[in-house]
Amino acid sequence: YFPLSVEYGERLYAGGKIKGSRWVKREGRPSDEAILAGRLIDRSIRPLFPKEFTNDVQVIITVLSVDGENEADVVALNGVSAALAISRIPWNGPIGAVRVGYVKENGSGEFLINPGPSEAEFSELDIVVSQTKDKTVMIEAGALEISEEKLVEAVKKAHIQTAKIIETIEDFVKKAGVKKLEVKEDTAFHQAKSLIEKSYKEDIENLIESRVNKEGSGNETEDLVNKIYENEKMANPETALDKKTIAKATEYTIFSLIRKLVVEKKKRPDGRKMDEIREIVTKVGLLPRTHGSALFQRGITQALSIVTLGSPRMEQLIESAEGEETKRYIHHYSGLPYSFGQTGRVGSPSRREKGHGALAERALLAVIPKQDVFPYTIRVVSEVLSQNGSSSMASTAGSTLALMDAGVPITKPVAGISIGMMSDGDKYELLTDIIGLEDFSGDMDFKVAGTDTGVTAIQLDVKIPGLTIEQIKAILERAKTARQQILEKMLATLPNPRHALSQYAPKIEIVKIPVDKIGEVIGPGGKVIKNIIATTGASVEVEDDGSVAISGVSEESVQKAVDWIKGLTREVTVGESFEGEVKRILPFGAFVEFLPGKEGMVHV
């Protein structure tokens, strides 16, 4: 563990905004978007700190001004790289970062470096890449089913630009002329490591086995540390190693042995082949009252995803310095302490939970139907019941099935997989579907989600100084094969979205009326629309563009409101015949309602 914290703060004054709340004008806790930007920076810089350096490091980024054209997260990431490079903190940077887009036009495509909002709107790819001079350290991507070949090309294009950024920062470092702090070797740690490797090898092997099988109490590592400490205290009371050093050396030795077995003998801790996926179990429709639900289990990683559908007015409003935007598809991830077999704090979602939810959201966004096809606000919650490696990808697969169970007409099912790596010098092995122990002891966690035709999301974290382009290419190919296998298992459970929505889901219709007829639907003081709502029991929302969203618990109430609104706004022509209800009779004639909400007089 390296005590690094990254805090990304966005001030509303940066975009000339004042907080919308009438009572609170100061910015509060960071938004989810700010937390995700902080995680992006953390994952880019963390691998490049020396392992021996354990001082607390805090990086604080404050967005002071935005122009609405350039994304602040990439600017901030390059700023952090420059700040660390000219500081006394030991760090094996600098790095450069760019955002890359891809626009397809007339059969051919073009890559865009740091695309603006107008370009990003038409882009099939949104990928942020952090790189050193020769390797890629971090990738965060969302895409519209883009091919692996195009992704590799995007990373290559990014490297041309990041090389220029790195060169600029290196010139900056020369001008600053700051000498880095020297990192001293931890002799006590090396002493403890040698002792454990020599005298406690069998204990380490037994410990690995208990961790893999999850058969122990969870205190086996602590028990071994206590055993070594007591033995050494008795043998060498004057020069005994402290428990903290022994614990650190024990963990290092466990990880070293796992890596050695994988790289040299192709032997994984749980006995699987390098490209073997754990057993998959899928179930749908588990919860009778919800709008849609599904369970996805891979090994002992188990995610239960639940879908809730709502009217368009239930969409989320997001306030930032760039302005306000709305979200109609929302994905939340919950991984409580019990899912790890632990006790712990339960409260607001952690940064990890927000990051995993955002990854699953991005993975599925490409297949969510457009609002004119499916006029619902969609919220998915992934309750992770048990986790041992890549719960975010289990959430992605489970949420796909839950959406299909809810009757959401997604364009294609999405699955995800995590690929790990263990290396020794130039030798390395890729591991499909890593468990937690392989994640902790390995070099990376490369998550890839997508459909049968292309990638929809990527998240790369590394613990080494980065990956080569050849390694990235091999990883994407391995992930593609695994993704196809998982999709086959999922589709065997539910091959297509259900034809009908749950009986508990709201029924929604969108009616388009001429803008000049909006006043007739609303009526003076809202009299007409209030009458429609009170009489039919349906909810009616009118937008400025003439879109009217009608929602209700029954199809009958919705249809009644739809007919009423259509009757109010349709043009009646001479020669049409109607059967109407006589509403009142006066001396000069009868008033007849010939369309819902529209009356005419039949003269005496």
Side-chain angles (χ1 to χ4, degrees), residues 560-575:
K560 194 173 179 181
V562 168
D563 293 342
W564 195 326
I565 290 163
K566 284 182 176 178
L568 284 170
T569 56
R570 66 162 284 189
E571 295 291 340
V572 178
T573 57
V574 174

Side-chain angles (χ1 to χ4, degrees), residues 188-189 192 196 221-233 239-251:
F189 166 74
I196 294 165
T221 306
E222 188 180 343
D223 293 342
L224 178 56
V225 169
N226 289 332
K227 176 183 173 181
I228 297 168
Y229 175 72
E230 293 300 330
N231 289 349
E232 289 308 302
K233 192 176 177 182
T239 59
L241 296 160
D242 64 87
K243 276 189 184 179
K244 192 175 178 181
T245 303
I246 293 170
K248 185 179 174 184
T250 300
E251 198 79 348

Side-chain angles (χ1 to χ4, degrees), residues 360-585:
E361 182 176 293
R362 178 172 261 191
L364 285 158
L365 192 59
V367 300
I368 297 296
K370 302 293 183 188
Q371 190 157 18
D372 56 354
V373 175
F374 191 74
Y376 286 83
T377 296
I378 307 164
R379 182 185 182 227
V380 184
V381 179
S382 293
E383 300 285 358
V384 180
L385 307 178
S386 173
Q387 50 185 312
N388 183 24
S390 197
S391 56
S392 63
M393 293 294 94
S395 299
T396 300
S399 297
T400 295
L401 289 170
L403 287 164
M404 292 168 71
D405 181 56
V408 178
I410 59 172
T411 55
K412 279 188 176 182
V414 175
I417 193 71
S418 180
I419 306 294
M421 186 174 83
M422 294 194 187
S423 61
D424 183 11
D426 293 333
K427 288 175 65 180
Y428 68 90
E429 287 289 338
L430 299 180
L431 291 81
T432 299
D433 181 24
I434 55 174
I435 60 174
L437 191 56
E438 291 170 332
D439 185 6
F440 303 144
S441 58
D443 296 331
M444 71 167 192
D445 182 4
F446 200 131
K447 302 182 184 80
V448 186
T451 66
D452 59 351
T453 54
V455 174
T456 57
I458 288 177
Q459 189 176 88
L460 166 64
D461 299 324
V462 298
K463 301 186 187 80
I464 54 175
L467 303 175
T468 64
I469 200 72
E470 290 77 18
Q471 288 171 331
I472 292 172
K473 189 176 179 181
I475 291 159
L476 289 172
E477 284 302 315
R478 176 74 72 87
K480 183 179 181 180
T481 303
R483 191 168 74 241
Q484 301 285 7
Q485 294 172 11
I486 296 169
L487 284 168
E488 285 177 16
K489 294 275 188 182
M490 291 165 59
L491 294 177
T493 301
L494 188 61
N496 294 295
R498 299 201 189 279
H499 297 300
L501 299 181
S502 163
Q503 61 175 315
Y504 302 110
K507 311 303 181 282
I508 298 176
E509 288 281 345
I510 301 292
V511 176
K512 195 79 173 176
I513 64 172
V515 174
D516 59 355
K517 298 283 186 181
I518 291 175
E520 293 184 35
V521 173
I522 295 173
K527 183 180 178 181
V528 175
I529 196 169
K530 286 176 184 175
N531 188 27
I532 296 171
I533 294 169
T535 306
T536 65
S539 173
V540 181
E541 301 149 32
V542 183
E543 300 294 334
D544 292 339
D545 64 352
S547 298
V548 184
I550 302 117
S551 59
V553 292
S554 71
E555 288 183 11
E556 185 184 353
S557 65
V558 171
Q559 192 57 51
K560 194 173 179 181
V562 168
D563 293 342
W564 195 326
I565 290 163
K566 284 182 176 178
L568 284 170
T569 56
R570 66 162 284 189
E571 295 291 340
V572 178
T573 57
V574 174
E576 287 189 84
S577 297
F578 295 93
E579 182 177 310
E581 181 182 346
V582 177
K583 289 292 188 181
R584 57 194 180 280
I585 298 175

Side-chain angles (χ1 to χ4, degrees), residues 258-330:
I258 293 169
R259 294 168 70 88
K260 192 174 181 182
L261 289 169
V262 169
V263 177
E264 294 182 7
K265 299 183 179 179
K266 296 186 184 296
K267 186 178 177 183
R268 294 177 74 167
D270 59 2
R272 281 182 295 146
K273 295 175 185 175
M274 297 293 125
D275 61 351
E276 186 179 347
I277 302 170
R278 289 170 288 172
E279 184 184 358
I280 292 173
V281 177
T282 56
K283 295 179 182 179
V284 295
L286 282 83
L287 307 179
R289 177 60 183 80
T290 60
H291 300 163
S293 61
L295 181 84
F296 182 89
Q297 181 172 341
R298 193 179 56 243
I300 63 170
T301 295
Q302 190 179 61
L304 175 65
S305 290
I306 301 100
V307 172
T308 309
L309 304 175
S311 68
R313 68 186 175 88
M314 299 303 294
E315 64 187 6
Q316 183 179 5
L317 184 66
I318 299 168
E319 187 180 40
S320 69
E322 287 87 356
E324 290 182 347
E325 59 177 295
T326 57
K327 264 178 30 173
R328 58 176 283 266
Y329 166 63
I330 305 137

Side-chain angles (χ1 to χ4, degrees), residues 52-253:
E52 299 81 11
F53 185 68
T54 56
N55 297 44
D56 285 314
V57 175
Q58 186 175 44
V59 177
I60 297 178
I61 306 103
T62 306
V63 181
L64 302 174
S65 181
V66 295
D67 60 6
E69 289 294 321
N70 297 286
E71 295 283 354
D73 54 358
V74 172
V75 176
L77 183 40
N78 286 307
V80 168
S81 174
L84 283 170
I86 64 165
S87 73
R88 295 189 67 209
I89 299 168
W91 187 61
N92 299 319
I95 58 170
V98 294
R99 174 174 265 104
V100 182
Y102 180 73
V103 176
K104 195 183 286 184
E105 193 175 345
N106 299 327
S108 61
E110 184 179 349
F111 288 97
L112 307 171
I113 302 298
N114 292 327
S118 58
E119 297 167 320
E121 187 181 346
F122 301 100
S123 179
E124 295 185 13
L125 175 66
D126 176 23
I127 182 170
V128 177
V129 186
S130 301
Q131 296 166 320
T132 60
K133 278 185 176 179
D134 54 358
K135 291 186 177 181
T136 299
V137 181
M138 192 283 308
I139 298 174
E140 183 80 31
L144 301 179
E145 299 180 77
I146 202 164
S147 70
E148 284 76 7
E149 292 76 19
K150 290 295 179 191
L151 284 166
V152 171
E153 200 175 336
V155 174
K156 288 180 181 177
K157 295 282 186 186
H159 228 144
I160 296 168
Q161 302 301 322
T162 56
K164 298 174 185 176
I165 295 168
I166 291 167
E167 188 179 343
T168 303
I169 295 174
E170 285 178 335
D171 289 341
F172 189 38
V173 170
K174 286 176 187 174
K175 289 175 184 175
V178 176
K179 189 178 179 182
K180 294 286 186 184
L181 293 169
E182 289 185 19
V183 181
K184 294 179 181 178
E185 192 178 71
D186 190 342
T187 53
F189 166 74
H190 287 288
Q191 184 186 340
K193 182 168 71 74
S194 300
L195 170 72
I196 294 165
E197 288 171 350
K198 183 181 177 182
S199 306
Y200 297 92
K201 188 178 179 182
E202 189 176 335
D203 294 278
I204 293 293
E205 289 171 350
N206 293 335
L207 187 56
I208 292 171
E209 191 174 339
S210 71
R211 278 201 187 183
V212 170
N213 298 327
K214 298 280 183 181
E215 293 172 347
S217 63
N219 299 320
E220 288 77 16
T221 306
E222 188 180 343
D223 293 342
L224 178 56
V225 169
N226 289 332
K227 176 183 173 181
I228 297 168
Y229 175 72
E230 293 300 330
N231 289 349
E232 289 308 302
K233 192 176 177 182
M234 287 179 66
N236 307 293
E238 308 245 344
T239 59
L241 296 160
D242 64 87
K243 276 189 184 179
K244 192 175 178 181
T245 303
I246 293 170
K248 185 179 174 184
T250 300
E251 198 79 348
Y252 180 88
T253 309

